[in-house]
Amino acid sequence: MNNSALVDWMPDSPLCCDLSFESAAMAEGYLRIAGVDEVGRGALFGPVCAGVVVFDLDRVPSGIDDSKKLSVKQREQLAENIREAALDSSIAFVAATTIDRINILEATKEAMRLALRGLKQPPDFILCDGLFLDGITIPQRGIIKGDARSMSIGAASILAKVERDRLITGLAAQFPGYDLARNKGYGTGRHLEGLKRLGPTSLHRLTFRGVCPEGDRPGRGAQIQLAGF
């Protein structure tokens, strides 16, 4: 196994979320295998969130898949099952102001690194959804569409999705007019209408297209002096 390379192939058959990547890592002697994923990368409002899950491969809940394929009820039940079954898990957020300052890719990686540091014990191998995390000395493998192919990554995506959705739903009353309870910060028609009518809040990502009028949008990497999440 190449421990630092993205999987640059996709199977011809439909994607299947299973333990193949975890089993391959375990066959090489790794025991604490962490799945890492993010949610909220494309949203216009709020932080990006990363989740990490370490399983005992003999105690993995059934039904885990890419969080986007699951209903709200399924995700919430699975999140509870995952927390109960996991050897370890962690969630981390990176605020909109940081996203504007360092860009969404770097903010996503930072959220993943923070989530990994939040584990009670470091993993000895990392399976990451589609990214290679610089600044991490632990062996890792980035897997394209990993949340639909690895149960550890899928579980991390479910935890991150549930926690971020709860956060944004809780903020919706504080920031009315953007339909946040429904869109969870993504750029729906009602959200964009709210931005045109009310302008952005302190938790919007000002460097993202559609948030500010084109002439007012800060350049990538600009220092934004607003209260962050």
Side-chain angles (χ1 to χ4, degrees):
M1 179 188 295
N2 184 342
N3 293 339
S4 62
L6 288 177
V7 177
D8 56 3
W9 55 270
M10 292 291 292
D12 294 330
S13 57
L15 298 183
C16 177
C17 197
D18 58 24
L19 294 171
S20 298
F21 292 103
E22 291 86 346
S23 297
M26 186 163 281
E28 294 201 356
Y30 299 106
L31 299 177
R32 285 181 57 85
I33 301 158
V36 186
D37 200 10
E38 57 73 31
V39 298
R41 191 168 170 178
L44 306 182
F45 174 95
V48 64
C49 179
V52 181
V53 174
V54 179
F55 278 129
D56 173 347
L57 298 191
D58 292 325
R59 296 189 66 241
V60 178
S62 62
I64 292 173
D65 204 342
D66 175 2
S67 63
K68 296 183 290 296
K69 298 179 180 178
L70 303 171
S71 69
V72 172
K73 186 175 181 180
Q74 286 174 320
R75 284 195 298 266
E76 290 180 348
Q77 182 60 61
L78 277 167
E80 186 175 321
N81 297 346
I82 289 162
R83 290 190 192 94
E84 290 177 356
L87 294 173
D88 205 349
S89 65
S90 175
I91 294 289
F93 293 95
V94 168
T97 48
T98 302
I99 293 169
D100 284 331
R101 179 168 55 84
I102 65 176
N103 78 48
I104 186 58
L105 175 58
E106 294 306 317
T108 297
K109 291 180 179 180
E110 181 60 13
M112 290 177 167
R113 288 189 288 261
L114 288 170
L116 284 162
R117 289 201 286 271
L119 293 172
K120 294 188 288 286
Q121 181 180 337
D124 52 16
F125 195 84
I126 297 167
L127 298 172
C128 187
D129 185 27
L131 292 175
F132 177 77
L133 296 178
D134 47 317
I136 296 288
T137 58
I138 299 166
Q140 61 181 291
R141 186 171 190 178
I143 303 169
I144 296 171
K145 302 229 179 257
D147 51 0
R149 301 170 67 191
S150 157
M151 294 188 81
S152 297
I153 296 176
S157 79
I158 290 167
L159 291 191
K161 174 68 172 167
V162 168
E163 291 302 318
R164 187 181 184 278
D165 282 1
R166 286 176 180 167
L167 172 70
I168 302 303
T169 300
L171 290 168
Q174 185 178 343
F175 298 101
Y178 302 94
D179 201 34
L180 296 173
R182 287 191 179 88
N183 61 50
K184 304 301 185 282
Y186 287 87
T188 62
R190 287 188 178 182
H191 192 170
L192 295 174
E193 288 171 8
L195 282 165
K196 289 179 182 177
R197 181 165 45 88
L198 302 170
T201 71
S202 59
L203 300 188
H204 274 95
R205 304 175 186 179
L206 302 187
T207 53
F208 276 43
R209 189 176 301 279
V211 173
C212 296
E214 199 65 27
D216 297 336
R217 189 155 56 101
R220 179 171 290 177
Q223 192 79 29
I224 310 299
Q225 300 299 325
L226 289 173
F229 158 70

